[in-house]
Amino acid sequence: MTEQTAKNNTEQQFDAAIARCRGVYEAKLKDYGASWRLMRPSSLTDQILIKADRIRSLETKGEALVKDEGILDGFIAIVNYGIIALIQLEKGFASGKDIEVAEALALYDRFMADTRALMLRKNHDYDEAWRKMRVSSYTDLILMKLMRTKEIEDNGGVAKVSEGVDANYQDMVNYAIFGIIKLTN
């Protein structure tokens, strides 16, 4: 596979995974509205942690007793909660649903576009290294990013030499999308 072919394939696969995640996000918006506006970023970090821990548990145990939510669903949830967390970092949390579906979708698209652009830059520098990795490694990297995020949050949101919380959320989203690509192709 040539470098250009790999890049184009990654972009197509990434966009297909984004479309899948956005479809779930939009469907849930129609069911619940933007009820997530109540959540503080630290609560979203914990929600992502729950999903990542469950994925790791399923990878380790090899079976799910709750059959309607598997590893793929967990990665989709991490993507969507990660984008929601980025929105909340910018907008702050609210005391109720204060945005309509159209605005929530526009915000999702903007933060996803920024996250996708980051992936393209890193993918260029790392030469498609993610393709050589196991899906379980994405899970572990997400869990590590969560631990870092929780430390930064516990330090009042201040990182002296490291990337901030927003960069960690973006990395979690991108690792989860790599997992979706690997599980669906």
Side-chain angles (χ1 to χ4, degrees):
M1 184 181 302
T2 68
E3 183 179 324
Q4 187 60 40
T5 304
K7 179 182 179 232
N8 290 340
N9 194 38
T10 294
E11 289 184 47
Q12 291 169 353
Q13 291 173 326
F14 207 83
D15 290 344
I18 289 170
R20 179 183 218 132
C21 295
R22 189 184 189 279
V24 170
Y25 175 82
E26 185 173 9
K28 289 192 176 198
L29 271 176
K30 289 177 181 171
D31 284 349
Y32 311 127
S35 56
W36 47 263
R37 288 288 295 132
L38 294 162
M39 295 183 81
R40 292 171 282 188
S42 59
S43 296
L44 287 158
T45 300
D46 289 342
Q47 188 63 33
I48 296 168
L49 175 64
I50 290 167
K51 296 298 182 180
D53 276 345
R54 184 168 190 279
I55 291 169
R56 188 181 222 178
S57 173
L58 295 176
E59 289 170 345
T60 303
K61 294 175 185 171
E63 75 168 320
L65 297 183
V66 178
K67 299 294 184 194
D68 62 341
E69 187 177 325
I71 292 171
L72 178 62
D73 300 302
F75 280 128
I76 291 168
I78 289 170
V79 169
N80 288 339
Y81 281 123
I83 296 298
I84 289 168
L86 290 166
I87 294 168
Q88 295 297 79
L89 282 175
E90 179 178 285
K91 291 186 72 65
F93 62 92
S95 60
K97 294 186 293 183
D98 62 344
I99 60 175
E100 297 300 319
V101 170
E103 183 181 358
L105 288 169
L107 287 164
Y108 184 95
D109 292 341
R110 179 166 61 90
F111 282 98
M112 184 59 82
D114 291 345
T115 301
R116 180 185 185 276
L118 174 66
M119 179 281 300
L120 290 173
R121 291 190 306 273
K122 286 187 173 187
N123 198 44
H124 171 271
D125 290 356
Y126 286 93
D127 284 334
E128 301 274 325
W130 68 271
R131 291 191 181 278
K132 300 172 192 165
M133 297 169 63
R134 296 174 185 96
V135 173
S136 60
S137 294
Y138 306 138
T139 307
D140 291 348
L141 286 165
I142 290 167
L143 286 164
M144 179 193 64
K145 292 287 183 176
L146 284 161
M147 188 175 290
R148 289 178 178 181
T149 299
K150 288 174 69 114
E151 287 291 325
I152 295 168
E153 288 170 345
D154 291 346
N155 291 328
V158 177
K160 293 183 178 168
V161 296
S162 304
E163 298 174 314
V165 171
D166 57 340
N168 281 290
Y169 283 138
Q170 286 184 307
D171 286 346
M172 288 179 234
V173 168
N174 283 330
Y175 287 130
I177 290 176
F178 292 151
I180 293 166
I181 292 169
K182 285 272 187 126
L183 291 170
T184 59
N185 287 292

